[in-house]
Amino acid sequence: MKKVSFIHCADLHLDSPVTGLRNVPNFIAKRLQESTFASFSAIIDKAIAYKVDFIIIAGDIFDGEDRSIKAQIRFRKEMERLHDHHIAAYIIHGNHDHLKGSWTKINFPDNVYAFPAEVTAKTYENENTTVHLYGFSYESRHIMERKIADYKRKEDGDYHIGILHGNLEGASGHSPYAPFSIQELTAKQMDYWALGHIHKRAILTDEPLIIYPGNIQGRHKKETGEKGAYLIHLSEMGTMAEFFPTAPIVWRTVIIHAKDIHTFDELLLLVNQRIEEEKKAGISLILFLEIHQLMIAEDIEAMELLEILQQEAAEEDEFIWVAAVKYQENKEWIKDNLVNESEFYKELFAAANDLQNVEKALEALYNHPAAHRYLPKLTDEEKKELAIESEDLLIKLLY
Ligand SMILES: [Mn+2]
């Protein structure tokens, strides 16, 4: 039977710094710094255990265009492990580790094939199956052209796999590099599309399978949930895809309902119970706690509660670190009632929901000569959050 199996991962961002954490004890800082490597190593373990034909890495192997020597050496070690087990690796470089970066070049073993800057076809063969793989590496950081136009499926071969580091059009919050639409990918008649760039895991279509595997290790508050890679089988029976998690540390937002809590001790007990529950997952966690409906919020500062919880962090194989505690205030007003009450509120909510207004309101800050350098670009989601907060403030003022 004609069949092939492989692992698809992307956005390793090896040696990436972790951001947004304060007061982290040393042992956790070390584990975080090691986490991208550990996750990648676990992916290679799987490749060996599953005896796959090859692995595909769809860009952003290294976090920085200077590709630290440390990261390259660690990467090479993993490639050598694959080499020892006769597993090939097809890799492309993305916007983070583009070819024009300045780095000390380190050679990889001959089982590794890195695609050049032009879309190129490369053939893999096992006993009775021929697979064509198509891909390109970023020549420089900002590839704005529609590289998808250069992918041309060959006439022969049993299976065809497109590898592309780029942005699905319309996906917000990501640099719009090498843009494409799902229709464009589908029209190429590949059997599988191995995508990279967007760090949130997503299956775009089933027929054919088009997958963003997400990055392999969360590195900040917004990269939550399990992270890992996909095991893919292509055969005459069809295509099979299976996600497996490998990230040793998971970032998670946890919502705790504290409606019936009246004392600090009760609150602490409730929170600790929840933390114990999370512990059952058996992996290390960075938690962001959101406490909802807390009546005694005014008596207990979230910061104080956070400090107490952080003091309890123990050095264990599977640690839990509470990174933040936030109270979610009860909204005393109900939107629908207000909208029915008067045209004024209707207009107010419409204005608050228009993201262009958020942008306009932020313009002064973002154009400020000193401030703008320190301000990250906001995603639509963040703009929405800001809009909701301002809405709440406004209504409270008016009420
Ligand atoms: Mn990336």
Side-chain angles (χ1 to χ4, degrees), residues 186-202:
T186 311
K188 297 290 170 180
Q189 296 188 303
M190 301 282 172
D191 296 290
Y192 184 79
W193 273 101
L195 303 181
H197 185 51
I198 292 183
H199 288 188
K200 196 171 160 43
R201 187 164 84 236

Side-chain angles (χ1 to χ4, degrees), residues 71-84:
Q72 287 197 75
I73 294 286
R74 297 283 294 268
F75 181 71
R76 177 163 74 186
K77 273 204 178 117
E78 300 299 341
M79 293 302 103
E80 281 164 354
R81 287 174 65 209
L82 291 180
H83 185 264
D84 291 345

Side-chain angles (χ1 to χ4, degrees), residues 47-169:
I48 293 167
Y50 292 144
K51 298 191 169 83
V52 295
D53 290 290
F54 51 83
I55 82 165
I56 293 173
I57 309 175
D60 285 1
I61 295 167
F62 304 104
D63 187 57
E65 56 186 29
D66 59 351
R67 304 186 187 180
S68 76
I69 294 187
K70 176 186 158 198
Q72 287 197 75
I73 294 286
R74 297 283 294 268
F75 181 71
R76 177 163 74 186
K77 273 204 178 117
E78 300 299 341
M79 293 302 103
E80 281 164 354
R81 287 174 65 209
L82 291 180
H83 185 264
D84 291 345
H85 289 84
H86 312 287
I87 297 170
Y90 296 97
I91 69 178
I92 62 175
H93 294 291
N95 50 306
H96 270 266
D97 56 349
H98 62 87
L99 302 174
K100 278 217 179 104
S102 59
W103 70 89
T104 310
K105 190 172 164 46
I106 281 172
N107 287 324
F108 297 132
D110 61 11
N111 59 323
V112 180
Y113 177 77
F115 284 86
E118 293 309 318
V119 176
T120 302
K122 183 78 185 164
T123 305
Y124 171 87
E125 275 173 304
N126 63 21
E127 300 85 66
N128 49 11
T129 312
T130 303
V131 183
H132 293 305
L133 300 104
Y134 311 81
F136 76 96
S137 288
Y138 277 46
E139 185 165 33
S140 57
R141 188 172 185 98
H142 310 288
I143 300 289
M144 310 310 279
E145 68 254 48
R146 304 188 82 82
K147 294 290 266 190
I148 180 62
D150 300 342
Y151 285 71
K152 301 228 155 42
R153 199 187 109 139
K154 282 176 175 285
E155 292 297 319
D156 63 329
D158 301 308
Y159 299 111
H160 303 264
I161 300 172
I163 310 172
L164 173 58
H165 191 89
N167 197 47
L168 170 65
E169 255 163 355

